[in-house]
């Protein structure tokens, strides 16, 4: 599931590739996602901006978050997190930051204040995170993903600066100072944005959406395991 940035009001929808619903592959030893995977609203990785750290432009999406707490969150759940660090994924030549964070309401949240705490409290978890992102697209016939900084995680302060930077890019986008291309910037909350709409307009947009039909059956290949030799 992803934020549908091209749709009015940016709903959360299941991704579709080549006319089929998209599911994440299970690349041994990882079954599905190994964290709560989400995004930080009001951020944007600008495809027209070359990141000074990675040398690559943004991926045109909000910044991604890997929340490492003990609770498995519900789809679409909004939570407050403590930022711990970041990983710089290079996905098909684009910068795709992955923020490592923990739910502030997690019972162990007080033990986590920076990326080294993750390494201390959850041995092997950061290495598994790099491995997951490196290989998750291989079953689709794509090459392994690459990373800036040789796959090393950056600390909390670095991560916070990345978030601030992508928030500034979002502010330029929502103020129409940057061309967002096909991104739909219609919103209810940024009063000085030229894309701001009324509650009535937003309700009409939601009401005009087609009704949900019965869910498609989950295909059996969703539970298929993929194995391959690491490079």
């Amino acid at each position: 599931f992803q934020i549908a940035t091209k749709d009015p009001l940016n709903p959360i929808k299941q991704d579709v590739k080549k006319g089929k619903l998209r599911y994440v592959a299970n690349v041994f030893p990882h079954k599905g996602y190994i964290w709560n995977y989400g995004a930080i609203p009001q951020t944007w990785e600008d495809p027209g901006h070359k990141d000074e750290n990675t040398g690559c432009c943004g991926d045109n999406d909000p910044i991604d978050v890997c929340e490492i707490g003990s609770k498995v969150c519900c789809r679409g759940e909004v939570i407050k997190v403590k930022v711990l660090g970041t990983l710089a994924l290079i996905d098909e030549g684009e910068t795709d930051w992955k923020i490592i964070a923990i739910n502030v309401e997690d019972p162990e949240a007080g033990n986590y204040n920076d990326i080294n705490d993750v390494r201390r409290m959850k041995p092997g978890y950061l290495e598994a995170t790099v491995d997951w992102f490196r290989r998750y697209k291989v079953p689709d016939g794509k090459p392994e993903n690459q990373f800036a900084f040789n796959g090393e995680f950056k600390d909390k302060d670095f991560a916070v600066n990345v978030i601030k930077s992508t928030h500034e890019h979002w502010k330029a986008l929502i103020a129409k100072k940057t061309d967002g291309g096909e991104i739909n910037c219609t919103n209810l909350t940024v009063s000085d944005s030229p894309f701001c709409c009324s509650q009535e307009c937003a309700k009409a947009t939601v009401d005009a959406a087609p009704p949900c039909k019965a869910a498609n059956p989950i295909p059996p290949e969703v539970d298929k395991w993929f194995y391959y030799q690491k490079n």
Side-chain angles (χ1 to χ4, degrees):
F1 277 71
Q2 297 200 7
I3 298 171
T5 57
K6 297 178 183 179
D7 292 4
L9 303 180
N10 302 155
I12 297 174
K13 297 170 65 175
Q14 188 166 358
D15 203 14
V16 176
K17 289 289 177 72
K18 298 180 180 178
K20 293 184 178 181
L21 293 174
R22 183 182 174 203
Y23 296 88
V24 64
N26 305 304
V27 182
F28 185 82
H30 310 300
K31 182 75 165 71
Y33 294 99
I34 62 173
W35 353 254
N36 288 304
Y37 196 38
I40 300 182
Q42 299 191 357
T43 62
W44 180 49
E45 297 191 71
D46 185 354
H49 172 78
K50 181 179 287 189
D51 189 280
E52 62 181 2
N53 296 292
T54 67
C56 297
C57 294
D59 72 346
N60 204 32
D61 280 328
I63 200 166
D64 298 317
V65 180
C66 300
E67 192 279 317
I68 66 169
S70 55
K71 175 189 173 184
V72 177
C73 293
C74 297
R75 187 179 302 118
E77 187 172 348
V78 179
I79 62 173
K80 184 177 180 180
V81 300
K82 180 190 291 188
V83 174
L84 303 173
T86 188
L87 177 69
L89 176 68
I90 307 299
D91 188 350
E92 298 182 37
E94 297 176 332
T95 300
D96 189 5
W97 292 102
K98 308 298 181 184
I99 301 296
I100 308 299
I102 188 166
N103 190 337
V104 296
E105 296 183 358
D106 190 273
E108 297 292 325
N111 294 325
Y112 293 87
N113 296 295
D114 212 325
I115 197 67
N116 286 330
D117 294 325
V118 183
R119 189 170 285 110
R120 176 174 56 87
M121 299 287 292
K122 295 179 181 284
Y125 198 25
L126 295 180
E127 290 80 2
T129 295
V130 173
D131 186 62
W132 195 100
F133 280 118
R134 187 187 304 281
R135 304 193 293 148
Y136 81 105
K137 288 189 175 181
V138 171
D140 297 331
K142 295 183 178 180
E144 291 186 351
N145 281 321
Q146 304 299 312
F147 302 89
F149 313 115
N150 295 316
E152 292 295 319
F153 288 81
K154 292 297 185 178
D155 64 14
K156 174 184 177 177
D157 290 342
F158 190 103
V160 169
N161 285 333
V162 169
I163 294 169
K164 288 179 178 179
S165 174
T166 55
H167 178 58
E168 291 300 317
H169 292 152
W170 171 83
K171 288 200 294 187
L173 171 70
I174 209 75
K176 211 173 182 177
K177 295 179 180 178
T178 302
D179 181 11
E182 296 182 326
I183 292 180
N184 192 308
C185 297
T186 302
N187 70 88
L188 286 83
T189 58
V190 187
S191 58
D192 57 349
S193 166
F195 302 104
C196 191
C197 72
S198 65
Q199 288 282 350
E200 292 75 18
C201 172
K203 184 178 185 303
T205 299
V206 173
D207 291 343
C212 291
K213 298 180 180 179
N216 286 352
I218 297 176
E221 56 264 30
V222 169
D223 290 321
K224 180 180 179 181
W225 283 103
F226 292 88
Y227 301 83
Y228 80 97
Q229 186 71 38
K230 294 183 183 180
N231 292 336

